[in-house]
């Protein structure tokens, strides 16, 4: 990891840069795959599964027998953990249900909102080096609570043509309607446009590699909604001299093992802690099964020393981390001053892993500084709010003249007339 001490403010922008993920040169490949799937449907998807995932599939849907088989392929301890996580995610997200109020803005003018679920949603669950069954829960559970009628899941199969049993079990527990053995660009395209097997959805959720990210960016321009802009995962630990260097190092490494392009940052007011964490990271790194991946991530990661908590908080808000762990003596008062972060973990006993799996909060979060403008996935991500308004006679008499004046000044005569004809009609019936 890179050690930095008391950087001047003009240096902050450079210091806080994320690992660059250049998708520009991917777009030609991504666009060609999307167009082929759009034109040829299942046939194209099956060809790309053979080409990109190295597997020849007879068909794309996961069969009911495969889902039942998965039940017997995972241990009872993992099942119990999945049920616990599902319950906590459900409890937290159910508490976010929208309750609309009718508001009378003027006598006779009533306005309100109604929350309506997005009918068809698509969930993308990456394969690769780790089966992200936890992400199945994070996306499908709130979708189910919201009332989405069709929850479609795409995930790449292994070389044996099967989906990891833990992913299938989590999908069944969370209430996914249909599961397909499709990965990468072709999965995003299939859910965007629909194929003979895969239904077209209205919004796509889920993480993925740079090809998936580029595909979501392209289809999100005009053809389907997406959850949020995505980049490599990241964590920041904000700590003072009271922090435990063993805990801090473990938190940094838990992020670093995600992928070579992940980033882990320490911002601290303690030079002693900075040094201790550097030593502890090296010690713990040597023990990790995924140490080669973590090593590459650590090359992009930094241990930053600043001379005051004021600067540490300002630097943190400038970075806008996806995950922020606050390990300080007064972590609640520090947390009150955080305005840019995806999800915040408070105190020495709250690792980022808690939110990744089972505390109940959602782990699908804005990365790459998007926490300055975006929220993580929540129940609201799966609903739309429709506004309603109703005017009684006293209402249109009250605000009608103002509407006429405003429409006149915008040179929109038909807008004005829509009010005028009503007012004239009412006057004629007096």
């Amino acid at each position: 990891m890179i050690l930095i001490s008391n950087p001047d403010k003009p240096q902050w922008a450079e210091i806080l840069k994320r690992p660059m993920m250049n998708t520009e040169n991917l777009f030609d490949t991504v666009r060609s795959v999307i167009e082929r799937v759009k034109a040829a449907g299942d046939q194209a998807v099956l060809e790309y599964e053979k080409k990109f995932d190295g597997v020849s599939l007879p068909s794309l849907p996961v069969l009911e027998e495969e889902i039942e088989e998965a039940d017997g392929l995972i241990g009872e301890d993992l099942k119990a953990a999945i049920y616990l996580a599902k319950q906590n995610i459900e409890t937290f997200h159910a508490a976010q249900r929208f309750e609309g109020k009718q508001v009378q803005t003027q006598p006779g003018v009533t306005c309100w909102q109604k929350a309506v679920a997005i009918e068809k949603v698509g969930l993308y669950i990456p394969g690769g080096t780790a089966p992200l069954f936890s992400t199945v829960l994070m996306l499908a559970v709130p979708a189910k609570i919201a009332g989405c009628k069709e929850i479609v899941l795409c995930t790449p199969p292994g070389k044996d043509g099967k989906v990891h049993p833990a992913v299938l079990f989590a999908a069944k527990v969370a209430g996914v309607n249909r599961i397909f053995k499709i990965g990468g660009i072709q999965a995003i395209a299939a859910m965007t446009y629909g194929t003979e097997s895969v239904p077209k959805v209205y919004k796509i959720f889920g993480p993925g590699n740079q090809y998936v990210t580029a595909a979501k960016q392209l289809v999100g321009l005009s053809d389907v909604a997406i959850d949020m802009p995505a980049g490599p995962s990241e964590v920041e630990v904000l700590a003072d001299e009271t922090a435990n260097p063993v805990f801090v190092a473990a938190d940094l490494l838990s992020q670093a093992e995600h992928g070579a392009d992940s980033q882990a940052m320490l911002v601290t007011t303690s030079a002693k802690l900075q040094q201790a964490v550097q030593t502890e990271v090296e010690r713990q790194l040597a023990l990790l099964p995924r140490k080669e991946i973590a090593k590459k991530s650590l090359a992009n990661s930094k241990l930053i020393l600043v001379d005051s908590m004021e600067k540490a908080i300002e630097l943190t808000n400038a970075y806008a981390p996806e995950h922020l762990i606050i390990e300080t003596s007064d972590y609640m008062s520090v947390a009150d001053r955080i305005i840019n972060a995806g999800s915040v973990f408070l105190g020495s006993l709250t690792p980022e892993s808690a939110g990744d799996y089972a505390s109940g909060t959602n782990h699908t979060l804005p990365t790459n500084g998007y926490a300055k403008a975006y929220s993580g996935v929540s129940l609201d991500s799966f609903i739309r709010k429709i506004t309603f308004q109703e005017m009684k006679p006293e209402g249109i008499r009250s605000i009608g003249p103002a509407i006429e004046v405003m429409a006149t000044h915008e040179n929109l005569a038909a807008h004005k007339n829509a009010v005028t004809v009503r007012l004239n009609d009412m006057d004629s019936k007096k």
Side-chain angles (χ1 to χ4, degrees):
M1 296 183 78
I2 303 163
L3 266 71
I4 299 169
S5 293
N6 296 311
D8 293 328
K9 208 164 182 179
Q11 299 175 282
W12 285 11
E14 185 65 30
I15 289 167
L16 297 179
K17 277 185 177 175
R18 270 78 171 177
M20 291 303 292
M21 186 175 67
N22 182 10
T23 58
E24 286 300 320
N25 57 349
L26 301 176
F27 281 140
D28 288 343
T29 300
V30 171
R31 193 175 284 108
S32 67
V33 173
I34 289 171
E35 290 302 322
R36 173 93 175 109
V37 171
K38 186 178 180 181
D42 281 358
Q43 180 188 339
V45 174
L46 289 166
E47 288 170 6
Y48 286 128
E49 279 307 304
K50 188 171 183 179
K51 180 178 180 179
F52 295 138
D53 290 330
V55 58
S56 295
L57 297 170
S59 61
L60 298 172
V62 171
L63 303 176
E64 190 61 39
E65 307 90 83
E66 295 175 277
I67 297 172
E68 295 305 319
E69 180 189 27
D71 194 280
L73 295 175
I74 62 174
E76 293 303 316
D77 57 341
L78 178 54
K79 287 182 184 178
I82 287 173
Y83 277 121
L84 173 71
K86 187 245 184 184
Q87 179 184 324
N88 291 347
I89 294 164
E90 201 167 51
T91 299
F92 181 69
H93 288 77
Q96 299 167 15
R97 283 193 178 99
F98 173 75
E99 295 179 13
K101 292 180 180 178
Q102 288 200 351
V103 177
Q104 195 171 74
T105 57
Q106 288 280 319
V109 182
T110 306
C111 304
W112 67 97
Q113 285 184 316
K114 180 173 77 171
V116 181
I118 298 171
E119 289 182 276
K120 299 180 182 182
V121 295
L123 316 181
Y124 183 73
I125 307 299
T129 58
L132 298 182
F133 55 85
S134 59
T135 302
V136 178
L137 300 176
M138 295 291 173
L139 298 176
V141 169
K144 195 73 177 175
I145 295 168
C148 300
K149 289 181 180 176
E150 190 153 29
I151 304 171
V152 175
L153 187 151
C154 287
T155 190
K159 302 296 182 188
D160 60 357
K162 295 187 175 182
V163 172
H164 194 284
V167 170
L168 294 182
F169 181 78
K172 180 182 176 182
V173 166
V176 172
N177 300 110
R178 303 176 70 182
I179 309 169
F180 297 92
K181 301 173 184 178
I182 316 176
I185 308 163
Q186 60 271 26
I188 303 304
M191 290 189 287
T192 298
Y193 302 107
T195 71
E196 296 89 337
S197 298
V198 184
K200 171 182 169 56
V201 303
Y202 302 150
K203 188 172 183 179
I204 294 175
F205 297 78
N209 62 20
Q210 55 188 349
Y211 290 96
V212 170
T213 297
K216 284 174 68 179
Q217 287 174 332
L218 280 175
V219 299
L221 290 173
S222 58
D223 296 308
V224 72
I226 62 172
D227 47 2
M228 69 187 79
S233 196
E234 63 205 25
V235 70
E236 180 197 321
V237 179
L238 173 55
D240 63 13
E241 71 285 352
T242 66
N244 184 327
V246 176
F247 294 176
V248 174
D251 290 333
L252 296 174
L253 287 168
S254 73
Q255 192 61 53
E257 74 173 355
H258 262 300
D261 54 0
S262 294
Q263 188 174 54
M265 307 277 273
L266 169 67
V267 177
T268 183
T269 53
S270 169
K272 184 179 177 183
L273 182 73
Q274 183 191 39
Q275 294 296 327
V277 168
Q278 184 184 36
T279 302
E280 189 59 30
V281 164
E282 292 300 320
R283 186 189 72 78
Q284 292 186 31
L285 176 65
L287 306 174
L288 291 179
R290 292 167 66 89
K291 64 184 173 185
E292 293 308 317
I293 291 173
K295 270 183 189 175
K296 291 176 183 175
S297 169
L298 292 175
N300 302 315
S301 301
K302 292 157 189 172
L303 305 172
I304 304 171
L305 175 68
V306 292
D307 57 19
S308 70
M309 187 54 64
E310 198 71 38
K311 280 187 183 174
I313 293 168
E314 190 177 354
L315 192 68
T316 298
N317 284 324
Y319 183 55
E322 176 190 15
H323 306 97
L324 173 63
I325 302 169
I326 304 177
E327 295 191 43
T328 64
S329 59
D330 57 344
Y331 57 80
M332 290 305 295
S333 67
V334 171
D336 283 343
R337 297 162 67 191
I338 298 300
I339 56 171
N340 297 327
S343 190
V344 183
F345 303 79
L346 299 171
S348 62
L349 298 180
T350 315
E352 182 221 316
S353 316
D356 274 354
Y357 291 111
S359 68
T361 61
N362 208 290
H363 76 202
T364 310
L365 300 164
T367 61
N368 203 32
Y370 283 113
K372 291 176 180 174
Y374 284 83
S375 306
V377 164
S378 68
L379 194 64
D380 273 354
S381 305
F382 296 91
I383 65 173
R384 300 154 289 133
K385 294 189 179 85
I386 303 173
T387 59
F388 295 81
Q389 51 257 291
E390 178 190 26
M391 289 204 295
K392 302 292 187 183
E394 64 178 327
I396 195 164
R397 288 192 190 281
S398 172
I399 69 170
I403 297 169
E404 289 178 310
V405 169
M406 294 173 77
T408 298
H409 283 271
E410 288 192 347
N411 297 316
L412 296 173
H415 279 64
K416 174 180 181 290
N417 190 55
V419 173
T420 303
V421 294
R422 287 171 166 83
L423 291 175
N424 290 343
D425 183 69
M426 289 165 59
D427 288 341
S428 70
K429 293 174 179 175
K430 280 183 180 178

